[in-house]
Amino acid sequence: MYQIIKQILRTGIKTETPPDPDDTLRVEVQRIQKNILRHVGRALAIRCVDAGSCNGCELEIHALNNAYYNIEGLGIHFVASPRHADMLLVTGPVSRHMETALKRTYDAIPQPRLVVALGDCGCDGGIFSPTDSAGNPCPSYASCGKISNVIPVDVAIPGCPPTPIAILQGILTAVSGEAKAP
Amino acid sequence: MRLDEFPTKFAKLSGPMPVWHGTVDAAQLRSLCEQVERGGGKLLALWGSDELARDAGYAVHISLVTALGMLCLTLPVSAEHPAYPDISDLFPAANRMQRTLADLLGLYASGVDDHRKWLRHGSWPGSVHPLRKNFDGSTVFPTETDAYHFVTVSGDGVHEIPVGPVHAGTIEPGHFRFSVIGERVLRLEERLGYLHKGIEKRFESMTLAQGAKLAGRVSGDSTVAYAWAYAQAVESVTGTTPPPRAAALRAVLLELERIHNHLGDLGYLGNDVALAFGFAQFWILKEDVLRLNNELFGHRYLMDRIVPGGVACDLDSKGRERILQVFGHLEQEIHTLKDIYDEHAGVQDRFLTTGRVTPDLAAQLGLTGLPGRASSQAWDLRAQFPCEPYDKLDVRMATHRNGDVAARVTVRFEEVQESIRLIRQIMDQMPAGELCASIGNAPENTLGIGWVEGWRGEIMVALHTGKDNAIHRLHPHDPSWQNWPLLEHAIIGNIVPDFPLINKSFNLSYAGVDL
Ligand code: SF4
């Protein structure tokens, strides 16, 4: 126990001790965090669904929980049940095999609900989508393509994978009602 | 044919890894598989291809690993009788690979009992095989119900707990069917395939140059290993040798990937036994490494940094200093945290003997990679078949006998420390020179294999070329194929609440096997 306490004290509070090269980044984190707090008060519950991602986007969602971004410290929680969620955060192109599960999860979230699509794959199907003769991404035998092909999307965050900062920004955009995805 | 004859009878593929390839008939295939199994070798991968356009029916390809290297066998299969000998009696891991081959290509292992589908759910009918060349990948079928027969356990007080595909945490989708009595698990059956998005079909519409990006997205957390394996395969078919500096940088990237994944897992494993402190600490360290990756190489997860021919990034002396600086801190912190994990009675109580896979069972069922090494399966490509620059490094393999969560934690600690040592040594011996060699044309109908020890285990990319540098067929193979079935065994006799912990200690890829 003594060792643990010593280590905690030695580590300090990461969210407030900026290491040199990341000053700009840190200012950004704090600004976004403030904005999110202003809009959601003390609680935003997010349910994540991986609808077909390569798991790269999940890595950055996990990173939001680390001490640098400290998303839980803001009252933003990732919840286990869609029944408890205000927002659905979806990654990947939607695989045909996840189509039903994604729709059911969406239906289970109480209204009003927000949907954020994450990553290039979520935005337009990304590299996994074949293209039709005109060069536009199209569905395949195994993939429905972008998330808005399956459920309505409020905000789509590009990036492969989008950085934690971009994800925070996207969440903020969704809760502040500033944007609708095309 | 005797097994020891293959290096003389079969062709060795060009490239840094010891891989031989030959065409065999069904009897030879069985016999070679039996000899490999008896000699303590293992099955790496099984896949198929459609060769109708070349008037050659279909083909089944099997890669086996022996102490000498990889033996890749091709068995031609006629279009009228698309069947091949079952090898799942020798290598149980073949079961799901054979079922996948039936789903995707309509080639059947003769004499098997388990005729269930594997990757196919309800999105296309059983009579359709998406990897056949005459199937248009953009055909969309109406969804059918997914009738799948789970093995049921009956008896007094036995009940089933179905979990997934959407799980409680932010993890990939898959279905787990537990049969339990009270809290104790009698049986677990997995059903995967939810992430199947047609990656292999997609590859077939790409050229060798285009495929690199997709290969790096088969399983995002292993992007470096896949990109390297893909590059090796392309370099093999085009007869390209990457410059020595590129080889050294590739190893730096691969070890960085190992470090950040292991750090993340060590944090989550602490979290799963209610030591949130462990999560907080290790994820600070992980984020430090991700930021270092971004600062030096331009991507937090190092995607697209390895390209066919070499690398798309460099490391100067300032970068080297930054790595040494971060590693100095990292080493010290890991040392402290390891002491804390080792001495924390609550943590050790949950880690020790939980989710045990004995060395015997591991050998019998083919456990591989990191969990394999925690159960005495001493395989590590970097130590056994070291390609440049590992041939100059004398990699120390981490192995343990206990096969429990504690052993898998220890292997991770040791591998992080070894990766730090390796990167330092590579940077000390960093050759000067070019970063990328130009890629020539690939002859048609040629096989190239890439084989890399990723953080989970062996990643293989098998590339069959088509006309004009197109991809005729590509099979990316994740070690999770071998290890998922062992997870079903590791949980037996444990309690349901320990499943997340055991699952995390394996940390297998869903995307990498669902394809
Ligand atoms: S956007 Fe990139 S990281 Fe995210 S799922 Fe798609 S390929 Fe993976």
Side-chain angles (χ1 to χ4, degrees):
Chain A
M1 201 62 215
Y2 163 71
Q3 262 195 329
I4 295 184
I5 292 169
K6 199 171 116 195
Q7 175 71 9
I8 292 174
L9 291 176
R10 225 162 46 82
T11 308
I13 298 173
K14 282 290 172 190
T15 327
E16 288 179 1
T17 351
D20 294 346
D22 290 335
D23 265 352
T24 46
L25 194 63
R26 192 166 302 281
V27 171
E28 187 69 354
V29 176
Q30 282 168 350
R31 189 185 61 77
I32 295 174
Q33 287 183 337
K34 258 211 201 78
N35 271 331
I36 290 182
L37 268 187
R38 208 179 59 228
H39 287 287
V40 300
R42 269 267 151 232
L44 176 71
I46 302 180
R47 170 70 243 192
C48 291
V49 172
D50 171 351
S53 109
C54 76
N55 79 27
C57 283
E58 273 61 38
L59 296 177
E60 292 296 45
I61 299 176
H62 290 203
L64 283 174
N65 284 309
N66 76 37
Y68 286 96
Y69 306 105
N70 191 23
I71 194 171
E72 293 248 339
L74 287 167
I76 300 181
H77 296 281
F78 292 102
V79 292
S81 167
R83 292 275 180 219
H84 303 158
D86 309 302
M87 177 184 286
L88 184 61
L89 186 60
V90 194
T91 63
V94 183
S95 74
R96 293 285 312 281
H97 292 168
M98 278 302 288
E99 190 181 353
T100 313
L102 177 62
K103 281 185 186 150
R104 286 199 191 152
T105 309
Y106 173 77
D107 288 339
I109 297 180
Q111 310 237 29
R113 59 197 160 201
L114 292 163
V115 178
V116 174
L118 200 61
D120 287 349
C121 294
C123 293
D124 66 4
I127 185 144
F128 301 109
S129 283
T131 41
D132 59 19
S133 47
N136 297 316
C138 64
S140 75
Y141 80 96
S143 159
C144 309
K146 61 182 176 184
I147 290 154
S148 58
N149 285 351
V150 179
I151 53 172
V153 168
D154 295 285
V155 168
I157 309 172
C160 183
T163 60
I165 294 289
I167 303 176
L168 276 176
Q169 242 155 3
I171 292 173
L172 170 66
T173 313
V175 293
S176 60
E178 277 162 16
K180 280 270 170 196
Chain B
M1 185 189 293
R2 286 208 332 266
L3 183 58
D4 52 8
E5 293 173 342
F6 79 77
T8 52
K9 294 216 163 146
F10 288 163
K12 183 166 184 297
L13 299 188
S14 117
M17 301 306 283
V19 182
W20 285 267
H21 175 239
T23 302
V24 290
D25 62 30
Q28 285 171 326
L29 179 106
R30 260 309 288 195
S31 148
L32 283 167
C33 286
E34 280 164 12
Q35 293 177 60
V36 168
E37 195 269 333
R38 269 203 307 274
K42 55 182 185 176
L43 169 73
L44 183 59
L46 181 150
W47 69 103
S49 59
D50 179 341
E51 309 294 343
L52 288 174
R54 293 170 178 159
D55 271 335
Y58 300 100
V60 174
H61 313 278
I62 293 178
S63 57
L64 304 162
V65 184
T66 74
L68 285 175
M70 187 198 296
L71 174 57
C72 184
L73 306 173
T74 293
L75 171 73
V77 173
S78 80
E80 297 75 40
H81 300 286
Y84 60 96
D86 170 34
I87 57 164
S88 63
D89 56 330
L90 302 168
F91 305 108
N95 171 287
R96 289 175 186 177
M97 303 180 203
Q98 293 181 168
R99 286 159 63 193
T100 300
L101 188 50
D103 288 344
L104 298 183
L105 236 111
L107 310 182
Y108 300 91
S110 26
V112 290
D113 304 327
D114 192 348
H115 293 285
R116 293 175 300 167
K117 55 190 181 175
W118 179 247
L119 282 191
R120 184 174 71 85
H121 289 195
S123 302
W124 69 92
S127 55
V128 167
H129 305 292
L131 282 183
R132 290 201 171 172
K133 291 284 179 188
N134 62 7
F135 174 76
D136 171 3
S138 57
T139 319
V140 177
F141 298 95
T143 306
E144 300 168 6
T145 43
D146 173 29
Y148 186 79
H149 177 72
F150 286 92
V151 176
T152 45
V153 179
S154 52
D156 240 8
V158 178
H159 69 280
E160 278 189 353
I161 310 176
V163 179
V166 179
H167 297 294
T170 306
I171 61 169
E172 298 177 78
H175 182 87
F176 299 117
R177 186 74 56 103
F178 297 93
S179 300
V180 300
I181 211 160
E183 284 275 82
R184 219 152 278 283
V185 178
L186 295 176
R187 190 173 196 285
L188 162 65
E189 188 171 349
E190 297 152 358
R191 171 96 170 106
L192 304 178
Y194 289 92
L195 291 170
H196 180 72
K197 45 194 177 278
I199 292 182
E200 288 174 297
K201 190 75 180 175
R202 185 85 183 98
F203 268 117
E204 293 179 14
S205 63
M206 292 180 156
T207 62
L208 296 183
Q210 291 165 335
K213 192 174 172 206
L214 183 57
R217 282 154 183 81
V218 170
S219 181
D221 53 16
S222 303
T223 177
V224 175
Y226 274 99
W228 192 350
Y230 181 82
Q232 266 185 6
V234 173
E235 287 152 12
S236 170
V237 295
T238 52
T240 317
T241 309
R245 187 174 180 82
L249 282 165
R250 284 175 174 185
V252 169
L253 301 175
L254 186 70
E255 298 309 320
L256 282 168
E257 177 169 85
R258 194 179 320 277
I259 292 172
H260 80 69
N261 276 295
H262 283 1
L263 289 175
D265 284 349
L266 287 168
Y268 268 130
L269 285 161
N271 209 38
D272 280 343
V273 296
L275 186 67
F277 160 84
F279 173 81
Q281 292 284 330
F282 275 107
W283 278 70
I284 290 171
L285 301 179
K286 175 170 179 167
E287 180 70 20
D288 290 340
V289 176
L290 297 179
R291 288 179 179 198
L292 181 71
N293 288 347
N294 191 40
E295 179 189 330
L296 301 182
F297 304 111
H299 194 283
R300 283 163 59 86
Y301 298 94
L302 306 168
M303 279 177 167
D304 309 321
R305 302 301 104 161
I306 294 184
V307 293
V311 289
C313 57
D314 199 3
L315 184 66
D316 57 12
S317 59
K318 251 174 63 200
R320 180 171 175 270
E321 284 311 309
R322 278 289 292 136
I323 291 184
L324 293 176
Q325 190 190 346
V326 171
F327 280 7
H329 175 69
L330 190 60
E331 244 181 350
Q332 196 191 338
E333 296 291 284
I334 288 171
H335 186 79
T336 310
L337 293 172
K338 181 159 193 321
D339 281 350
I340 291 176
Y341 272 35
D342 284 350
E343 282 162 26
H344 194 289
V347 166
Q348 289 306 317
D349 182 54
R350 294 283 307 276
F351 282 180
L352 284 166
T353 73
T354 305
R356 189 141 189 262
V357 180
T358 61
D360 280 352
L361 187 69
Q364 202 187 334
L365 299 185
L367 189 67
T368 184
L370 181 153
R373 290 191 285 277
S375 293
S376 273
Q377 304 307 301
W379 297 88
D380 187 330
L381 292 179
R382 299 172 303 157
Q384 280 161 314
F385 310 118
C387 66
E388 198 185 350
Y390 292 106
D391 51 350
K392 300 179 210 79
L393 295 178
D394 191 20
V395 177
R396 289 181 220 134
M397 193 191 314
T399 53
H400 283 271
R401 279 198 62 78
N402 275 351
D404 51 5
V405 173
R408 292 186 281 276
V409 167
T410 309
V411 168
R412 283 182 169 90
F413 269 116
E414 291 177 6
E415 290 190 353
V416 170
Q417 286 161 331
E418 178 67 356
S419 293
I420 292 177
R421 187 186 74 84
L422 293 174
I423 292 179
R424 283 199 182 118
Q425 208 178 328
I426 298 167
M427 293 196 305
D428 284 344
Q429 309 166 350
M430 183 73 81
E434 296 293 306
L435 293 171
C436 200
S438 66
I439 295 281
N441 286 326
E444 196 194 339
N445 199 4
T446 308
L447 172 69
I449 300 261
W451 194 19
V452 170
E453 189 74 35
W455 66 271
R456 271 198 186 93
E458 293 156 88
I459 306 277
M460 187 204 73
V461 166
L463 163 68
H464 303 258
T465 58
K467 272 200 197 78
D468 304 325
N469 296 317
I471 296 173
H472 169 69
R473 172 81 172 94
L474 191 137
H475 177 65
H477 184 88
D478 197 277
S480 306
W481 277 104
Q482 269 82 354
N483 292 350
W484 274 116
L486 263 297
L487 181 65
E488 294 181 341
H489 288 267
I491 181 73
I492 294 175
N494 287 263
I495 55 174
V496 179
D498 270 341
F499 180 70
L501 175 65
I502 298 171
N503 192 13
K504 197 71 210 174
S505 75
F506 278 78
N507 193 4
L508 305 174
S509 176
Y510 301 67
V513 298
D514 287 354
L515 297 173

